[in-house]
Structure formats: structure tokens, C-alpha cells
Amino acid sequence: MQPVISVKNLTQRYPGGRLIYENLSFDVPQGRILGLLGKNGTGKTTTINILMGYLKPLAGECRIFGQDITALTPETRARIALLIEGHVQYAFMTIAQIERFYSKFYPKWNRDAYYELMSRLKVTPNQKISSMSCGQRSQVALGLILAQNADLLVLDDFSLGLDPGYRRLFVDYLKEYVSAEDKTVFMTSHIIQDMERLIDDCIILDYGKILTQMPVSQLMDTFHCYHLPNQEHERASDLIDNQSGNIINPSMVGTTLELFSFSPKEAIEHVFKEKGLNSRELAEIPMTLEDAFIGLTGKY
């Protein structure tokens, strides 16, 4: 089965020449949720703009449903629901009016999906969008996206403006919706905790390169955080300044040496032995996806 999204050797730069990424390649299979993660300025929104045809890349090929993005047919575009801003325009309309307006443009419109989410979010049909908070407008935008009943949902920073409770509600609802309807999702978010509950696969970007690209379950099984307490900074500085190939972002947290690695504990102990460091107290620390993200990209 061909992937819903296929990106091959994508290269792009910011105006002024700074490289965003080079030879970025990935596939999004049908029925999967892929999260594109990275710090500000690493190219997450740029990637979505390229996929939607708003930006032309320097090099590379992108296909959606097997069609080149430069020549998507209207029928294929109708299969894609896009959320860029998270806010709805037409603020003079009510919840009910904007639903009726949008429904005219989408032949597969699912009115029930819209109103089910509005009900869960406690947004009433007669509320005017102009009277709503930023978070409430985001809720309406998300409802309109789901109601399009598209085969592919492209969501850029979907949780913008939502408080923690509503973020959790929408994440759970979206995962249930995607699973039940066999939808595919390509998404970004600055809130990694939300992504951990939602995505199947992740791509983690750094400035100008891909750090990792794999299922979230595989990342959490193979990437490790280690602590070695009671270290004098001077003794650990050699390891920090001259990182071994299998040690990532070592740093001192008080008197504890913290480091990350895809290598098992035995391999790290061997590195310490070579550096003359005592590893008897070396311990692996449980991580969340946010911890893994920081471990890979660095704290600053």
C-alpha cells in the first residue's frame, strides 16, 4: 500500500540562506499519526507549507495520495483537511452559522462530528465567535477540521490557545476519531506531552538535520537517560567536552552527571572506564517523550 504522504530528499533554506534541512525523507502510512517535533525555527511549519504547495522547496519530491504536490487535483485536495492558525475567521458568525457555511464546501461533511466535539467542549450553537476567547476559537477550528471528514488531517500546532483540560479532551477525542475512521494525521505541536499521548511515529528535527525518525514506542525503548551522582565537575568535564560517539548531551546537574544515549548501560560503563570515571552508581532514569526530546535536542 502506498503511503499517504511521501517526502524524498527535501531541502529548504530560510530567506538569507540558512539551511533548514537537507535531504529530509519520510513516509506517513495510512491510519498512522506522525508528529514532527523540533525547537522553534527547525522547519516544522515550513514543511507543512511545502506539503500544501504554499512554498517551493529548493530540492526534493513530495507526494500526497500518490500525486505530486505541485499538481494535486481538486479531488485530492478535497481529501485533505488543513489547520494552520488554529483560529476561525468570520467572527461575526455563530457556532451554528459557521458550521452551515463550511458545510457547503465539503461534500463529505460530517455535521455530527462537529457538534459532538462542540458539546464535549461545552460550546453552545448560538455563541458568536467574536465573543469567544482565543482558546474557544481554537476549539471551533478543530471541530470544523474534523467535520470535513477528510482522509488526511494536517494540523500545525493544533493545541494553540487550549488550556490543559481541553487539550487532553481533544487529544483523546482525536485519537479515538482517527482509529475509528481510519484517518491519517501529520501534525506539529510545541507541547510534547500532548504528542506522547497521541502520535504513533515521530521525526525530531534539529537545526539543519534530522536527529531521529522512528515509532515513538521504539524511541522510548531504545533511548536512555543515565545519571551518575557525586561527580566533581573537573573529573566529568573531559567527558562533557569530548563526547563519545554513543553519548549525547552530557551535562552537570548539581553534582550529578546526566547524559543520554541509544547505547545500553554496559556500553556507557565501558566509556566511563576508559575515561577513568567510577560508574558504580550509574543509574538509568525513566523518561517521558518530552525528556527524550530534550535529551536529543539539548536544553538550550
Side-chain angles (χ1 to χ4, degrees):
M1 182 184 296
Q2 72 177 11
V4 173
I5 298 176
S6 179
V7 173
K8 303 298 181 189
N9 301 317
L10 191 65
T11 299
Q12 184 65 314
R13 294 180 181 272
Y14 283 118
R18 181 170 77 80
L19 181 70
I20 303 177
Y21 40 62
E22 187 172 26
N23 295 325
L24 176 70
S25 298
F26 63 87
D27 290 334
V28 184
Q30 181 177 334
R32 301 285 285 183
I33 304 176
L34 185 143
L36 188 63
L37 312 179
K39 294 181 178 179
N40 293 335
T42 53
K44 301 184 297 298
T45 298
T46 295
T47 303
I48 287 179
N49 285 333
I50 290 173
L51 287 173
M52 295 297 99
Y54 302 148
L55 282 176
K56 183 177 180 180
L58 293 178
E61 178 186 70
C62 304
R63 292 182 173 273
I64 297 180
F65 297 116
Q67 292 185 12
D68 191 289
I69 58 167
T70 61
L72 293 180
T73 64
E75 292 77 15
T76 296
R77 289 194 178 277
R79 300 176 66 188
I80 305 168
L82 172 65
L83 178 73
I84 286 287
E85 293 294 338
H87 289 173
V88 188
Q89 298 175 10
Y90 313 119
F92 59 90
M93 293 185 180
T94 66
I95 297 298
Q97 288 170 340
I98 202 165
E99 183 275 324
R100 289 195 297 270
F101 175 77
Y102 269 72
S103 69
K104 308 301 182 185
F105 299 96
Y106 300 98
K108 295 171 62 179
W109 187 258
N110 185 345
R111 182 177 185 272
D112 291 341
Y114 175 80
Y115 278 110
E116 181 181 353
L117 183 59
M118 293 301 100
S119 175
R120 292 194 187 194
L121 295 171
K122 296 181 173 58
V123 178
T124 60
N126 293 326
Q127 280 186 264
K128 271 202 170 183
I129 294 169
S130 60
S131 68
M132 293 181 173
S133 68
C134 173
Q136 288 177 315
R137 294 186 187 203
S138 293
Q139 294 164 20
V140 177
L142 294 168
L144 294 171
I145 288 293
L146 295 181
Q148 291 174 36
N149 202 18
D151 297 314
L152 170 64
L153 285 73
V154 179
L155 310 177
D156 187 20
D157 216 1
F158 72 93
S159 56
L160 178 67
L162 297 181
D163 64 34
Y166 282 127
R167 289 204 322 270
R168 177 70 62 88
L169 187 154
F170 179 74
V171 163
D172 292 343
Y173 182 83
L174 180 60
K175 194 169 184 70
E176 175 186 319
Y177 173 82
V178 169
S179 175
E181 302 292 335
D182 196 27
K183 306 297 186 182
T184 305
V185 182
F186 181 77
M187 65 191 312
T188 74
S189 176
H190 287 93
I191 303 176
I192 309 298
Q193 301 99 310
D194 293 345
M195 301 290 260
E196 184 168 13
R197 294 176 57 83
L198 184 57
I199 61 178
D200 302 307
D201 309 300
C202 68
I203 297 172
I204 298 181
L205 297 175
D206 200 4
Y207 298 103
K209 60 184 177 182
I210 303 170
L211 293 175
T212 190
Q213 181 176 342
M214 63 179 68
V216 172
S217 59
Q218 181 182 348
L219 174 64
M220 300 309 294
D221 285 343
T222 59
F223 191 57
H224 312 283
C225 175
Y226 299 106
H227 280 188
L228 185 60
N230 305 315
Q231 294 299 305
E232 297 177 10
H233 185 274
E234 291 75 12
R235 296 191 64 211
S237 62
D238 181 55
L239 181 65
I240 294 173
D241 295 337
N242 302 286
Q243 298 181 35
S244 170
N246 54 353
I247 290 179
I248 300 171
N249 288 324
S251 64
M252 293 299 298
V253 181
T255 60
T256 296
L257 176 62
E258 179 183 74
L259 57 94
F260 300 85
S261 180
F262 283 101
S263 297
K265 185 178 177 183
E266 295 77 15
I268 302 302
E269 289 173 334
H270 179 72
V271 172
F272 283 178
K273 184 177 180 180
E274 290 184 331
K275 299 290 184 181
L277 293 170
N278 188 332
S279 62
R280 278 199 309 270
E281 295 184 85
L282 183 70
E284 182 172 354
I285 306 301
M287 284 194 299
T288 65
L289 181 60
E290 183 176 81
D291 295 328
F293 173 81
I294 293 172
L296 281 164
T297 61
K299 294 179 181 177
Y300 309 106

